[in-house]
Each structure stands twice: as structure tokens, then as C-alpha cells.
Amino acid sequence: MSVPTRPTRMSDLRVTRRRLVTTAAAFLVVAGAVEASGRLGGGLAGTPVRAPLVTGSATRSKPSAGNTGVPQGTDLAVHDGDLLVSADGTLIEGLDIRGVVIIQASDVTIRNCVVRGPVAAPTSGSHALVQQSDPAHTNLLVEDCTLAVQTPNRWTVGVQGCNYTLLRCDISGGVDGADSSGVGNVLVSSCFIHGGAYFTPSTTNSDNQTHSDGAQVSSGSNIVYSNNTITGYEMSCFMVGQDQGQITGLKLLSNWLDGGAAMINLSSKAYPTLSVVIRDNKFGRSRPGTYQILAYGADTSKISNNVWEDNGQPVQVLGP
């Protein structure tokens, strides 16, 4: 990951605390984290603003390191430690966060930030660089951010939860990239999700390995992944299974996918069927012999126009 230029230290933020407070930012140490409200951020002088990537088939751009994440030239202020966001409407902008961000509020925006997680990796549990799990909290927006686990481990993913939107983010280093669970209401668009961590032996699963996926969807409705590049995960680009509840209204549209034992893996689990729209995706060949779409227990009638990137020929769908 290329780090944007001219970072400052968190001590500099404390020196300028009065200036930040005048723009409605405040800090309160709670249980080892910093509680943030209002506006929290560093300088953004000269930051380039990129328009959303167009998702039309004729003009859309393939997400990569060059058009996702924090724009080069962005000034970042280093923040050491976790951020607990508990005030509705908080804006977090221009920070290099050496911890995780836990959302416990609605209408929160995280923009032009790097989130790395802590240096000391957790040794158990489930963790995410950005986490919003309570369905009572809605409308989280994470845009133009670089989420890169600085100490890859068995327990940490990039983003986890529900009621969130990711736009033009660069996500790497977690055992999963961008997961959806709970009630759903998730949009992930124009992101570069890559370089997943994988560990074996690992006690996280009965087969003694981490199940590393670009995106795992385990429950919820109104979930869309569109125009993303997902590559470099051991198990799959998309793992869709109704482990935690029924999945409805899921769409996987116009993504570039490469790698994994099965690039898209669908399983109805405890429910009679799984219905997913899978359309206009392009598949790479970095792992010969990889299954393209496994659709056991899934309705295949909504799977169409998914092709190899190099020659435009249809990929294989294995299912009922």
C-alpha cells in the first residue's frame, strides 16, 4: 500500500484541539478507545476529488490501486488507537487510524482515511477494521478509504455488518474483505478488494484453515456488490450462504473476479432455496481448475452473462 503524503502525529491533533472543537469535533477516552463526534480529521488541502466510477457496461472502469483508496496527495493526521463513534452525523476525514473504527451511531461518514488496525493482532473473537453490526444504526458511508490490516491475523476482516455503503475503497489484508450480515442493506461499489490473509493450521474452522473470502454474505436483504475487483482470496471471491438467516434481494453485478477454490460459492444452507441475481461479471484465470460458480441449493434462473475476461466466453455454472 502506498501511504499518502505528509502525515502528522496524534500529538499535533491534541495541540490543535481547540481549532477542532470549533468545527464540532470532540474527543473522550472510553474503554481504551477514542469516542468521536461531530467532525474529526486532519488537513485535506489540495485533495483531488474523484467522481464515482460509472457502472454502465460501455464506460465503467476496472477498480485498481490507482483509482480506489485515499487519493495521493491527501494530508493525513495519525490517530493511534481505536475510534468508537457514538454520535449521529459524525464525519471522520483525513485520518491515518492505527486501530479499528466501531460504529454505534447513524449517518456516519468516513472519507479519505487509512484504517490499519492495531499493531498487536487480536488472538480470538471476530474483528473488523470498520464494524457496524447493530441494525438500529443506519446509513454508514465509507468512501475513498484505504483499509489495510497492518498485522494480518486469523480474526480480522476489512468491513463487517449491515446498513453500510462502500465506494471506491481499497481493502486488503483481512481474512475477508467486505462482509454483509444481520439485516443487510449493503452497497459495495467500485472497490478494489484484494490480498486476503490465509492461515493454516488455524482453529477458526473445523477443517483447520481460515475461510478467506473477498465478501461473505450470511443473511439479510437489499444487498448489492457492483463494479468491484475482487482477487487474491483462498476460498472464494463471493461466499453466499444463509448461515445466519435468509438472504433476499442480493445482486452481484458487473464485478471482476479472480481466484479462490470457487470464485462464487452459493449455498442455501437451512433454507429451501437461495435466489441471487448474478449478472455481467468477468472472471480471471489466475488459478486453473477453480470452479467459477457453484450454485448448489440456489436458483440458477437469475444467473446470466457471466464470462471469462480474456475471451468473453461463458463461465461454468454448477448447480441443480
Side-chain angles (χ1 to χ4, degrees):
M1 181 191 71
S2 177
V3 178
T5 59
R6 300 183 299 280
T8 56
R9 298 299 302 175
M10 190 59 191
S11 58
D12 298 325
L13 279 180
R14 294 194 181 100
V15 169
T16 60
R17 185 174 185 274
R18 180 170 307 205
R19 177 181 61 82
L20 289 172
V21 169
T22 63
T23 58
F27 306 95
L28 175 64
V29 176
V30 178
V34 170
E35 188 172 13
S37 64
R39 184 187 185 283
L40 175 62
L44 292 171
T47 300
V49 177
R50 290 171 291 173
L53 299 178
V54 178
T55 58
S57 59
T59 57
R60 64 193 181 102
S61 300
K62 184 176 182 178
S64 67
N67 59 11
T68 62
V70 177
Q72 286 298 310
T74 302
D75 288 345
L76 297 177
V78 172
H79 172 79
D80 289 312
D82 298 339
L83 280 178
L84 173 64
V85 183
S86 60
D88 291 351
T90 295
L91 170 63
I92 301 172
E93 189 169 20
L95 290 183
D96 184 344
I97 301 167
R98 313 296 173 87
V100 301
V101 183
I102 303 168
I103 307 299
Q104 296 181 357
S106 295
D107 303 311
V108 173
T109 297
I110 306 172
R111 178 185 300 138
N112 293 334
C113 288
V114 174
V115 185
R116 304 174 188 268
V119 172
T123 56
S124 63
S126 178
H127 304 267
L129 295 182
V130 177
Q131 176 137 12
Q132 174 165 281
S133 299
D134 189 339
H137 302 137
T138 60
N139 299 325
L140 169 65
L141 172 62
V142 184
E143 59 181 355
D144 298 306
C145 288
T146 300
L147 312 179
V149 179
Q150 66 172 321
T151 307
N153 61 85
R154 297 164 176 80
W155 315 101
T156 301
V157 306
V159 183
Q160 189 175 67
C162 60
N163 296 330
Y164 70 81
T165 295
L166 301 183
L167 301 177
R168 300 176 304 275
C169 290
D170 184 325
I171 302 172
S172 65
V175 288
D176 285 359
D179 292 350
S180 176
S181 60
V183 299
N185 299 319
V186 165
L187 171 63
V188 179
S189 183
S190 303
C191 293
F192 182 37
I193 303 173
H194 62 105
Y198 170 75
F199 297 92
T200 186
S202 174
T203 58
T204 53
N205 292 286
S206 59
D207 57 4
N208 206 29
Q209 60 183 324
T210 53
H211 290 185
S212 303
D213 307 297
Q216 180 167 331
V217 182
S218 54
S219 65
S221 60
N222 188 32
I223 303 165
V224 178
Y225 290 81
S226 67
N227 200 62
N228 304 288
T229 296
I230 303 180
T231 184
Y233 288 85
E234 184 68 20
M235 293 298 180
S236 68
C237 297
F238 285 112
M239 176 64 223
V240 180
Q242 297 174 129
D243 303 86
Q244 299 179 17
Q246 193 165 14
I247 296 170
T248 61
L250 172 62
K251 298 179 180 179
L252 312 179
L253 307 174
S254 302
N255 300 285
W256 285 267
L257 309 176
D258 197 3
M263 284 187 261
I264 298 179
N265 192 351
L266 310 176
S267 177
S268 60
K269 298 289 184 174
Y271 294 83
T273 189
L274 173 63
S275 181
V276 184
V277 177
I278 303 175
R279 188 176 65 238
D280 300 329
N281 299 284
K282 294 183 179 181
F283 290 69
R285 299 184 187 266
S286 67
R287 287 178 63 173
T290 288
Y291 295 109
Q292 291 89 66
I293 302 175
L294 285 178
Y296 292 108
D299 176 7
T300 60
S301 66
K302 297 179 181 179
I303 301 176
S304 63
N305 197 35
N306 300 286
V307 301
W308 292 109
E309 184 176 4
D310 57 5
N311 62 14
Q313 294 300 305
V315 299
Q316 186 177 30
V317 179
L318 295 178

